[in-house]
Amino acid sequence: MAPSPAYLPGGYYNGYWPRLAEAFSAYVNERDAEPPVEAYEDFGAVDAAGDNGYSVYTAVQCRDAAWPRDWRQWLKDTWEVEEAPAPARGSTLHGLLGFRG
């Protein structure tokens, strides 16, 4: 299973990892896709209640520091992150969605 948005929240809160590990184990060992889907729905999906939090996140991303204007630089920087590639790629995607040039 490729890194997915279901696992990105684990990069921000350690308390999610027991549940994420169980979901991953169920998928790998039993080919049961339901636990990762449930993990995404519980931890990764943004509903109406989380919409304001996401708005604040993108506002900070857009204004906290200058973003490179060249997409090749984004790609290079993101793929150079060896220690946490999934969160780096997710953050790049969020930055891209909030980037207005």
Side-chain angles (χ1 to χ4, degrees):
M1 180 161 70
S4 78
Y7 294 92
L8 289 176
Y12 300 98
Y13 176 61
N14 288 337
Y16 293 149
W17 280 110
R19 172 96 180 276
L20 295 174
E22 289 174 3
F24 184 76
S25 178
Y27 182 80
V28 170
N29 295 315
E30 301 163 22
R31 300 291 185 241
D32 183 359
E34 189 60 29
V37 169
E38 289 175 358
Y40 171 74
E41 290 170 350
D42 291 344
F43 303 140
V46 177
D47 60 10
D51 192 42
N52 187 54
Y54 184 72
S55 298
V56 171
Y57 173 85
T58 56
V60 170
Q61 290 295 317
C62 291
R63 288 300 190 209
D64 193 39
W67 287 84
R69 293 191 178 271
D70 185 345
W71 173 246
R72 291 172 295 194
Q73 185 65 47
W74 285 44
L75 195 58
K76 178 181 174 290
D77 292 347
T78 301
W79 284 94
E80 284 181 356
V81 178
E82 296 288 333
E83 295 168 3
R89 293 173 195 145
S91 292
T92 298
L93 177 61
H94 285 295
L96 177 62
L97 294 174
F99 180 67
R100 298 287 181 246

